[in-house]
């Protein structure tokens, strides 16, 4: 035989056999690996004998794994693509084998009793897009490698006992839309890189021990942000002057921190706002007149905030406002006669201020009102 032909045959053999083998050897996982990983997960959970997983997740023909409770396989590749085990009373740890589910896109184990930390092995799951481990007992620091998931869209770790600082690397998550880390024990500053995730729509850090100032330009790179929850932390300094650049904000929650200074009048430019929480800070000055532009505002919470001056009568003309909390400030002067020109108002809490004058006669028009607190003011006239 011709040497060239021999060479071609040799090359073909090399291509058909050796190349795929060397190629596969890098990611030599298959549905059997997936079954092995899930069985490892099962054995790291303390299951009561009557739990649905006990007789459902059992070693079998590997392809049948796709029919197990909580498991969804991809239509084409028939590998485990989603693991949905919410609200199942699962108490245990995450075994390193879970990192072998290399086709996993969604991991949802919310509202169980998982504990321990999130293992480095999970970093191997490069396809992850949705991770919900909220309402468990995980602890320790959030592994910085979360910042290396190129496709992550949704991360919810709320209501665990995670501690340590928020990893800077999160700034690399350019596809991330939802980041919920509230009600944990995070400390330190919010890294400036967090405010650089331009796809972000929801950012929630309420109920941690975060400190420091917010960057003045924090909204410059967050054009899509709809909800910002930073309440109940130790954040300080003035409200960032550039807040109005988060022009799509619907919920702004900065209450119960150590913010100081005046409420920036530019908040009036956030015309999509539905809920504004700024109470429980050490502010000064008045409610800016510009709040009258917040035509979509449904809830205004400014209690315990050190505010002074009159309660602007335009507040009561805002067509959408349903709940007003202005208690425990130093507001003075009297209320407008008709506080319910549009009878949407459900809650009016203006107790513990220095308001004077008559209790507004128009209060009878507030047909939707379910809670009213006028206590500890200097009103004259009959209390209602
Ligand atoms: C899966 O992961 C475990 C632990 O990380 C490892 O020991 C095992 O060799 C991996 N591979 C397969 C094919 O299960
Ligand atoms: C996880 O499951 C819960 C309960 O079914 C659901 O509300 C939540 O949206 C799910 N999260 C994700 C990321 O799919
Ligand atoms: C934010 O992103 C911009 C543009 O990609 C970059 O120039 C800047 O250094 C980043 N800032 C931070 C704090 O990461
Ligand atoms: C903010 O609102 C003021 C009116 O109070 C208006 O003059 C200004 O153009 C607005 N700015 C932006 C950026 O929308």
């Amino acid at each position: 035989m011709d040497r060239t032909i021999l060479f071609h045959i040799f090359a073909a053999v090399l291509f058909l056999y050796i190349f795929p083998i060397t190629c596969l050897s890098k990611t030599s996982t298959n549905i059997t690996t997936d079954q092995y990983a899930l069985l490892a997960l099962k054995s790291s959970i303390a299951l009561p004998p009557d739990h649905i997983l006990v007789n459902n997740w059992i070693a079998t023909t590997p392809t049948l794994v796709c029919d197990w409770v909580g498991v969804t396989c991809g239509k084409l590749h028939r590998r485990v693509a989603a693991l949905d085990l919410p609200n199942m009373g699962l108490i245990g740890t995450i075994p390193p084998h879970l990192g072998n589910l290399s086709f996993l896109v969604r991991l949802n184990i919310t509202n169980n009793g998982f504990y321990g930390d999130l293992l480095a092995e999970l970093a191997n799951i490069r396809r992850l897009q949705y991770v919900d481990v909220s309402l468990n007992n995980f602890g320790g620091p959030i592994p910085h490698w979360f910042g290396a998931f190129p496709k992550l869209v949704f991360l919810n770790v709320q209501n665990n006992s995670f501690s340590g600082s928020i990893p800077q690397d999160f700034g690399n998550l350019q596809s991330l839309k939802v980041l919920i880390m509230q009600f944990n024990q995070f400390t330190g500053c919010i890294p400036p890189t967090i405010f650089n995730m331009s796809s972000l729509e929801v950012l929630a850090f309420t109920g941690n021990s975060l400190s420091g100032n917010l960057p003045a330009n924090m909204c410059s790179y967050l054009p899509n942000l709809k909800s910002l929850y930073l309440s109940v932390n130790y954040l300080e300094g003035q409200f960032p002057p550039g807040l109005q650049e988060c022009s799509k904000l619907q919920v702004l929650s900065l209450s119960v921190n150590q913010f100081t200074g005046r409420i920036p009048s530019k908040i009036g430019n956030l015309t999509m706002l539905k809920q504004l929480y700024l109470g429980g800070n050490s502010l000064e000055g008045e409610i800016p007149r510009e709040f009258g532009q917040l035509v979509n505002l449904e809830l205004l919470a400014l209690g315990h905030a050190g505010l002074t001056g009159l309660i602007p009568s335009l507040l009561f003309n805002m067509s959408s406002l349903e709940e007003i909390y202005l208690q425990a400030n130093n507001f003075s002067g009297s209320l407008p006669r008709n506080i319910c020109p549009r009878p949407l108002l459900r809650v009016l809490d203006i107790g513990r201020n220095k308001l004077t004058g008559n209790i507004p006669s128009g209060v009878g028009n507030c047909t939707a009102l379910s809670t009213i607190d006028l206590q500890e003011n200097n009103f004259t006239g009959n209390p209602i």
Side-chain angles (χ1 to χ4, degrees), residues 168 171-172 174 191-197 217 221:
Q168 284 206 27
N172 301 333
Q174 290 299 322
T193 51
I194 291 286
F195 303 108
N196 229 1
M197 295 189 278
N217 64 346
Y221 304 102

Side-chain angles (χ1 to χ4, degrees), residues 84-87 106-110 130-132 154 156:
D84 293 293
L85 303 169
N87 320 315
R106 186 174 68 234
L107 174 65
N108 191 349
I109 53 171
T110 184
Y130 305 90
V131 177
D132 191 342
F154 180 104
N156 186 351

